[in-house]
Amino acid sequence: MHWRGVHHLALVTPDMDATVRFWHGVLDARLVTTLATPDFRHYFFEVAPGNTIAFFEFTGKDLDTYAKPAGVPYEKASQFDHLSLHLVDEAALERMRDRLKAHGCEVTDVIDHGFLRSIYFSDPNGIALEASWWTVDPTGRPVDYSDPALFADPDPVPAVVELRENGVLDHTVPTVLVDAIIEDIRRSS
């Protein structure tokens, strides 16, 4: 297989608007595409051409949140959703699916998400994995926040509305350095 890097790392956020303001506004990782269903929003931020960090915001789910220093184990580490590895095209995606099956691994059929196609599987530790390729690569080019093929959330968070209307964010969000485990940061603020 010829991997092209990390297609996306999927994390979980309880506040997509603050996430856009931080990742796009503070870290300068451009918001390049969004999608939404009645159950979740899924937004993608470019960290390198072809490579993104993505976040899920689940609708109507009251999830516990936490903050912890890097490298400190914590049994409630719930912010990670899945890792998607980047492949070059659909043929490579099909080869990976066939390779997984040949090694006795369960894997989904190819799923068409519009701007990307994916297969889903797990590693022996139960880590959710995905292999994807961009059918329309939103990275490494100018962003059009009004393009419904790439910005498919019909009710985007206020930060996306600001980007669509003004091309910039009205404000960003500050963060704090964490030196100990803090349980349920969302509810304590």
Side-chain angles (χ1 to χ4, degrees):
M1 295 309 302
H2 299 287
W3 295 108
R4 296 188 70 194
V6 175
H7 189 281
H8 65 274
L9 173 66
L11 304 171
V12 177
T13 178
D15 186 344
M16 190 66 80
D17 190 62
T19 298
V20 172
R21 293 179 191 287
F22 180 77
W23 281 84
H24 180 96
V26 175
L27 296 183
D28 200 26
R30 296 181 319 140
L31 177 68
V32 294
T33 189
T34 68
L35 63 92
T37 73
D39 297 323
F40 63 83
R41 286 186 166 111
H42 198 26
Y43 286 18
F44 296 73
F45 300 86
E46 179 182 8
V47 294
N51 295 256
T52 59
I53 302 293
F55 286 86
F56 280 104
E57 178 188 63
F58 297 105
T59 305
K61 301 294 181 200
D62 196 21
L63 302 176
D64 288 341
T65 56
Y66 67 91
K68 70 175 205 60
V72 174
Y74 183 54
E75 67 277 1
K76 295 182 180 179
S78 62
Q79 292 158 322
F80 174 80
D81 189 80
H82 69 272
L83 171 64
S84 178
L85 300 168
H86 193 193
L87 290 169
V88 66
D89 56 23
E90 182 124 10
L93 191 63
E94 291 169 353
R95 282 193 309 275
M96 176 52 61
R97 181 199 58 210
D98 295 345
R99 180 181 176 93
L100 286 161
K101 286 181 179 182
H103 286 272
C105 301
E106 292 184 350
V107 59
T108 67
D109 288 331
V110 174
I111 308 295
D112 186 351
H113 298 290
F115 55 82
L116 68 102
R117 292 198 180 118
S118 305
I119 57 173
Y120 296 89
F121 51 102
S122 297
D123 86 338
N125 302 298
I127 296 172
L129 297 172
E130 175 182 3
S132 302
W133 73 278
W134 295 114
T135 59
V136 177
D137 188 346
T139 66
R141 65 181 183 148
V143 177
D144 177 1
Y145 296 106
S146 64
D147 180 350
L150 294 175
F151 290 89
D153 184 351
D155 184 27
V157 297
V160 176
V161 174
E162 292 166 20
L163 289 170
R164 182 179 295 150
E165 293 176 356
N166 309 320
V168 296
L169 295 171
D170 293 343
H171 67 277
T172 60
V173 294
T175 62
V176 297
L177 186 60
V178 176
D179 60 4
I181 293 173
I182 302 169
E183 295 228 10
D184 211 358
I185 60 172
R186 182 172 49 112
R187 292 192 196 124
S188 63
S189 53

